[in-house]
């Protein structure tokens, strides 16, 4: 799960990690009030969306005085930001962060995440902080310092010393850096994070070390034990269809194609999309119905697929393991009657009781194209989506 | 022989009194698995399906001589169950549970390092040695005893692969679902090592997915150290680019882990990769023929 920058900054504050601070505002008036309370002359107004690349898209503005904040907030709030991470349709800005502008002497990069290859947590740091960090990693990998931290032995002084030395930090700066790393590591474990990224972590002209921008992701599997974090979820940032799918325990990702897919298991769902594409079609989505698909769940899945106006054909591909194909076929028939499908439906069932499942579909009197062979059924779906004749 | 489990494996079910545990225990018993008892804290002394229930794994091992377990415990408690099973000295622990917090699994994996317990999973369908035993939720009736090893990250893709082999008249020595979580017990590499050593296994089918580096490592191992033919399939060629994890995810993956780079890496090791899922059985036969092996050996019943 992702959260907003202003929420992440508040968590850093709680963990004792120095940061640029600021206040969140949902309206221009609130933004001006926030600036008034913060005091000072120069501010930065930052769009709060769950995607990076805001600065280049015009979502971060420097503002002089309260009138500057008023103007900047007016320009950013309600604007649709398109960045490389938002997708082509972009994201509407519903809230901004107002923070004091800092005089920056240097920008560093610092992150902590789980490294699936080694099974450790990994600290990464660089003197080349800022928006070009991925370029730095690609072209000058030596500029990215890494320290593996064992999950059982934990964070030790030498990890921090190695990073600080690599960053060229000494004396007070090194001590400030140690406090930042310790705070991050503690927060990472306390809140079951999957990533905390300070980019940049800045040294100000006054010599202070502050987190200026932070990205914080959390392990969805662990949200059950962090009600405070779960409460930070912002549904406005999520695709409405994905939210609805999640309510029915369906895993759904919309795509651009014309064949609506309903499959059990993530691996088979991906392989189904792949075979559709290999045969010249385009999948409209990824949809994993999981184990045990009731008529209710199938109907919810059909409705979800049909809400996508690009869908010209629905392809159901189920391998019944524990899920019995006859039970699933009954669910499909019931759901198809309930939803009354305006597009052709191709069903491929294999595995437990598939023959009985095929009978149920055949006897339903509904226009369902049943084909047990994977390749043949995928070809049928592709041809029907292109307006081909029903077999 | 087979790998990891066989008809002599004495199995405990952790979480036997839950609905999943109960349902699948019945299925395992029907298949012939030697289930010797169950564990549910607080329900020790009860009996379920004629099997004794214990409060802890240690007590269950002492009373039954179990050497393996399968875990159907909710995610909040499943990491504890794995640790408990390892501490009680079980050889093989299969964790079906999906949704265990990742940081829990980091510690579990460290605890298991260097110990005798092999963990399969979590978030996996389990393991089956056809005709002998199954630990987990794999449907037994699509399997057939034989000579091909199957290893996969995905549950339903394991079933597809096994089903295609069976339809071609090719049986399986053991099929292992290693699970879909990023932090797991047994990986592709260790399963290949075991298949290479196993006399019953003549060839191996590997079913991978996008993400991570496990398939590439396995392919290099197969090229350098395996005498047995291997074929592969990778799901996710047209998957949308993953949900980004800040810059850090991109930095550590270095642009690897997508289907295209995985397939290229595997093919560059001389291993055939099926273009589409319907062709995995064919890909295996191709690998077998390329190795100069008589494919009729794969169809022999007497193993």
């Amino acid at each position: 799960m992702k959260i907003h920058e202003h929420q992440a900054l508040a968590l850093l504050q709680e963990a004792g990690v120095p940061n640029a601070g600021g206040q969140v505002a949902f309206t221009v008036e609130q933004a001006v009030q926030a600036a008034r309370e913060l005091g000072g002359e120069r501010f930065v107004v930052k769009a709060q969306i769950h995607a990076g690349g805001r600065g280049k898209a015009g979502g971060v503005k420097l503002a002089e005085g309260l009138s500057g904040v008023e103007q900047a907030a007016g320009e950013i709030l309600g604007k649709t930001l398109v960045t490389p991470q938002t997708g082509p349709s972009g994201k509407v800005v519903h809230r901004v962060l107002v923070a004091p502008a800092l005089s920056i002497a240097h920008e560093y990069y610092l992150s902590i995440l789980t490294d699936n290859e080694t099974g450790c947590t990994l600290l990464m740091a660089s003197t080349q902080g800022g928006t070009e960090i991925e370029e730095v990693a690609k072209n000058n990998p030596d500029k990215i310092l890494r320290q593996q931290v064992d999950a059982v032995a934990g964070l030790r002084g030498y990890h921090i010393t190695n990073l600080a030395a690599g960053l060229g930090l000494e004396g007070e700066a090194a001590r400030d850096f140690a406090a930042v790393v310790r705070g991050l590591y503690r927060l990472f474990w306390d809140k079951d994070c999957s990533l905390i990224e300070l980019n940049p972590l800045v040294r100000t002209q006054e010599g202070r070390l502050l987190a200026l921008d932070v990205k914080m992701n959390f392990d969805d599997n662990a949200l059950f034990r962090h009600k405070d974090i779960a409460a930070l979820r912002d549904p406005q940032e999520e695709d409405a269809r994905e939210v609805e799918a999640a309510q029915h325990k369906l895993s759904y990702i919309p795509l651009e194609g014309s064949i609506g897919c309903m499959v059990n298991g993530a691996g088979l769902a991906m392989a189904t999309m792949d075979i559709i594409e290999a045969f010249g079609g385009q999948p409209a989505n990824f949809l994993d119905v999981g184990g045990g698909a009731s008529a209710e769940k199938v109907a919810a899945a059909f409705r979800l697929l049909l809400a996508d106006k690009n869908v010209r054909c629905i392809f159901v591909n189920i391998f019944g393991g524990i899920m019995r194909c006859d039970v699933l076929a009954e669910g499909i028939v019931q759901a198809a009657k309930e939803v009354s499908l305006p597009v052709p439906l191709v069903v491929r069932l294999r595995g437990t009781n598939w023959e009985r499942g095929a009978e149920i579909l055949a006897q339903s009197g509904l226009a369902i194209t049943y084909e047990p062979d994977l390749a043949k059924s995928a070809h049928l779906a592709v041809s029907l989506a292109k307006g081909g004749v029903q077999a | 022989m087979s790998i990891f489990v066989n008809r002599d494996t004495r199995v405990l079910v952790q979480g036997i009194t839950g609905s999943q545990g109960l349902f699948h225990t019945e299925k395992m018993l029907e298949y012939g698995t030697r289930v010797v008892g169950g564990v549910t804290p607080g329900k020790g002394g009860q009996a379920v399906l004629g099997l004794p229930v214990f409060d802890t794994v240690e007590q269950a091992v002492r009373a039954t001589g179990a050497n393996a377990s399968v875990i159907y415990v909710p995610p909040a408690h499943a990491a504890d169950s794995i640790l408990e099973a390892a501490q009680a000295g079980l050889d093989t622990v299969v964790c079906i549970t999906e949704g265990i917090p990742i940081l829990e699994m980091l510690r579990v994996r460290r605890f298991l390092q260097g110990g005798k317990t092999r963990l399969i999973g979590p978030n996996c369908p389990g393991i089956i040695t056809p005709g002998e035993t199954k630990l987990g939720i794999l449907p037994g009736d699509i399997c057939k005893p034989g000579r091909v090893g199957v290893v996969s990250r995905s549950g339903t893709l394991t079933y597809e692969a096994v089903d295609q082999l069976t339809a071609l008249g090719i049986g399986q020595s053991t099929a292992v679902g290693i699970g879909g979580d990023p932090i797991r017990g047994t990986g592709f590499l260790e399963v290949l090592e075991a298949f290479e050593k196993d006399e019953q296994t003549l060839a191996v089918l590997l079913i991978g997915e996008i993400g991570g580096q496990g398939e590439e490592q396995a392919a290099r191992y197969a090229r350098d150290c395996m005498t047995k033919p291997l074929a592969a399939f990778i799901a996710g060629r047209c998957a949308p680019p993953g949900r980004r994890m800040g810059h850090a995810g991109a930095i550590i993956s270095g642009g690897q882990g997508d289907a295209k780079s995985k397939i290229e890496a595997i093919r560059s090791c001389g291993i055939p990769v099926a273009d589409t899922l319907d062709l995995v059985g064919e890909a295996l036969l191709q690998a077998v023929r390329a190795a100069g092996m008589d494919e009729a050996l794969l169809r022999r019943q007497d193993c």
Side-chain angles (χ1 to χ4, degrees):
Chain A
M1 187 187 104
K2 293 179 177 179
I3 61 172
H4 286 293
E5 179 191 10
H6 72 90
Q7 296 166 330
L9 286 169
L11 287 168
L12 286 184
Q13 190 66 27
E14 271 176 47
V17 176
N19 61 84
Q23 289 185 24
V24 66
F26 294 84
T27 64
V28 174
E29 293 71 37
Q30 285 177 0
V32 173
Q33 181 59 27
R36 193 175 287 127
E37 283 170 22
L38 290 167
E41 263 310 299
R42 295 176 67 235
F43 303 92
V44 57
V45 181
K46 303 168 89 175
Q48 299 292 286
I49 55 169
H50 287 184
R54 296 169 299 173
K56 286 176 185 164
V60 179
K61 290 185 189 296
L62 272 170
E64 297 285 343
L66 298 184
S67 61
V69 169
E70 185 174 3
Q71 193 189 341
E75 282 168 22
I76 297 173
L77 280 167
K79 180 177 170 149
T80 301
L81 287 186
V82 181
T83 84
Q85 295 182 25
T86 58
S89 50
K91 276 189 171 169
V92 180
V93 182
H94 297 284
R95 53 178 101 179
V96 293
L97 173 72
V98 182
L102 303 170
S103 355
I104 294 164
H106 192 86
E107 297 193 343
Y108 300 93
Y109 173 90
L110 177 64
S111 66
I112 174 168
L113 74 162
T114 46
D115 181 358
N116 299 332
E117 297 306 314
T118 60
C120 287
T121 50
L122 182 66
L123 284 165
M124 291 198 287
S126 177
T127 54
Q128 315 281 302
T131 53
E132 305 302 328
I133 189 70
E134 285 180 42
E135 288 300 307
V136 174
K138 208 158 113 192
N139 302 325
N140 292 301
D142 295 351
K143 296 279 184 196
I144 309 280
L145 310 167
R146 295 160 192 247
Q147 288 287 305
Q148 269 183 27
V149 182
D150 182 90
V152 174
L155 181 71
R156 302 285 159 167
Y158 64 85
H159 295 122
I160 302 171
T161 309
N162 282 336
L163 290 178
L167 295 175
L169 298 171
E170 291 170 345
E172 201 176 339
R175 279 192 291 281
D176 288 348
F177 179 73
V180 169
V181 177
R182 288 211 166 85
L184 279 194
Y185 188 80
R186 203 163 43 237
L187 182 60
F188 188 87
W189 278 90
D190 283 353
K191 300 292 184 192
D192 276 291
C193 295
S194 52
L195 167 76
I196 307 177
E197 184 171 69
L198 307 185
N199 189 29
L201 169 70
V202 301
R203 194 175 73 240
T204 65
Q205 301 283 7
E206 298 78 31
R208 290 194 303 156
L209 205 56
L210 297 174
L212 189 63
D213 193 351
V214 55
K215 184 162 281 133
M216 219 179 265
N217 296 352
F218 299 88
D219 177 7
D220 290 327
N221 288 350
L223 287 177
F224 71 87
R225 58 187 184 190
H226 300 289
K227 302 285 181 249
D228 56 333
I229 302 297
L232 299 178
R233 183 177 287 265
D234 179 1
Q236 277 184 320
E237 285 291 326
E238 293 166 22
D239 186 296
R241 291 174 290 177
E242 288 180 43
V243 173
E244 201 203 318
Q247 283 163 358
H248 296 285
K249 295 203 182 340
L250 300 166
S251 173
Y252 173 79
I253 300 171
L255 298 165
E256 312 288 320
S258 62
I259 301 174
C261 303
M262 184 183 127
V263 189
N264 65 329
L268 186 56
M270 283 195 288
T272 302
M273 291 157 58
D274 292 349
I275 199 168
I276 286 171
E277 199 178 63
F279 291 170
Q282 289 295 327
N285 63 280
F286 167 97
L287 195 161
D288 172 11
V289 289
S294 59
E296 210 178 328
K297 208 167 166 183
V298 176
F302 280 162
R303 275 192 290 269
L304 209 58
L305 297 180
L306 292 171
D308 179 348
K309 293 303 164 212
N310 292 329
V311 167
R312 296 279 169 268
C313 174
I314 291 179
F315 182 29
V316 176
N317 183 15
I318 300 288
F319 199 103
I322 298 315
M323 190 199 296
R324 284 161 43 199
C325 290
D326 53 335
V327 175
L328 186 93
E330 278 163 12
I332 291 174
V333 169
Q334 203 179 318
K337 283 180 180 158
E338 198 185 312
V339 179
S340 73
L341 301 173
V343 298
L345 173 63
V346 178
V347 180
R348 182 242 177 185
L349 300 175
R350 283 289 290 175
T352 313
N353 293 2
W354 69 272
E355 297 94 337
R356 178 81 196 104
E359 272 172 40
I360 290 168
L361 294 179
Q363 288 160 6
S364 70
L366 295 167
I368 298 172
T369 307
Y370 173 76
E371 170 55 60
D373 182 84
L374 175 60
K376 285 182 190 159
S377 62
H379 273 303
L380 271 171
V382 170
S383 123
L384 287 170
K386 288 179 176 165
V389 186
Q390 201 134 343
Chain B
M1 278 306 290
S2 54
I3 68 166
F4 306 151
V5 294
N6 58 35
R7 61 169 56 85
D8 299 323
T9 305
R10 298 169 65 82
V11 181
L12 288 176
V13 176
Q14 294 178 256
I16 194 170
T17 54
S19 64
Q20 289 286 306
L22 199 57
F23 178 81
H24 291 293
T25 301
E26 217 171 343
K27 297 280 171 202
M28 288 191 285
L29 288 168
E30 279 170 23
Y31 196 71
T33 304
R34 259 179 102 179
V35 183
V36 295
V39 177
T40 301
K43 304 218 169 155
Q46 297 184 8
V48 166
L49 302 171
L51 299 166
V53 178
F54 302 88
D55 284 321
T56 69
V57 178
E58 189 180 301
Q59 292 167 3
V61 169
R62 212 179 294 137
T64 64
N67 61 354
S69 81
V70 51
I71 297 173
Y72 303 95
V73 170
H77 305 288
D80 287 14
S81 298
I82 299 170
L83 294 172
E84 188 190 352
Q87 188 134 8
L90 298 184
D91 297 321
T92 306
V93 175
V94 178
C95 184
I96 307 302
T97 310
E98 176 178 0
I100 302 177
I102 290 169
L103 292 182
E104 293 278 0
M105 281 310 301
L106 290 184
R107 286 183 165 149
V108 166
R109 197 161 97 161
R110 278 288 280 119
F111 182 84
L112 296 177
Q113 260 171 26
K116 67 179 281 210
T117 303
R118 166 174 305 288
L119 171 66
I120 295 170
N123 186 15
C124 79
I127 176 169
I128 185 164
T129 293
E132 298 196 23
T133 191
K134 73 162 184 169
L135 281 71
I137 63 177
L138 302 113
D141 50 2
I142 57 170
C143 302
K144 171 184 161 75
R147 318 292 307 252
V148 172
V150 177
V151 57
S152 166
R153 263 160 75 180
S154 146
T156 38
L157 288 181
T158 311
Y159 311 161
E160 285 282 357
V162 165
D163 188 53
Q164 273 183 45
L165 292 176
T166 300
L168 290 168
I170 299 169
Q172 305 90 42
S173 51
T174 300
V176 192
I178 58 173
D181 279 8
I183 305 294
R184 62 175 82 93
T186 302
F188 279 119
L189 191 61
E190 295 148 283
V191 178
L192 289 194
E193 283 169 349
F195 278 135
E196 174 66 14
K197 282 189 206 135
D198 175 44
E199 282 177 18
Q200 185 181 331
T201 304
L202 296 181
V204 181
L205 187 53
L206 181 152
I207 311 287
E209 292 175 14
I210 47 173
Q213 293 289 307
E215 291 87 350
E216 290 90 326
Q217 284 165 8
R220 286 191 292 273
Y221 167 79
R223 177 194 62 197
D224 298 337
C225 309
M226 268 180 90
T227 58
K228 299 176 183 179
L230 174 74
F233 173 74
I234 300 293
R237 280 175 192 247
C238 72
R243 307 296 160 101
R244 283 181 57 105
M245 256 181 61
H247 295 295
I251 292 172
I252 59 164
S253 74
Q256 294 188 310
D258 64 297
K260 193 166 167 277
S261 70
K262 261 185 199 292
I263 292 168
E264 276 168 18
I266 298 169
R267 284 192 175 142
S268 76
C269 294
I271 296 160
V273 180
D275 278 323
T276 47
L277 177 61
D278 55 313
L279 300 175
V280 293
E282 283 303 320
L284 181 86
L285 289 175
Q286 191 190 327
V288 165
R289 287 182 208 124
M293 186 187 285
D294 179 3
E295 64 178 77
L297 282 175
L298 300 180
R299 298 201 171 87
R300 276 175 56 173
Q301 304 291 323
D302 55 339
C303 52

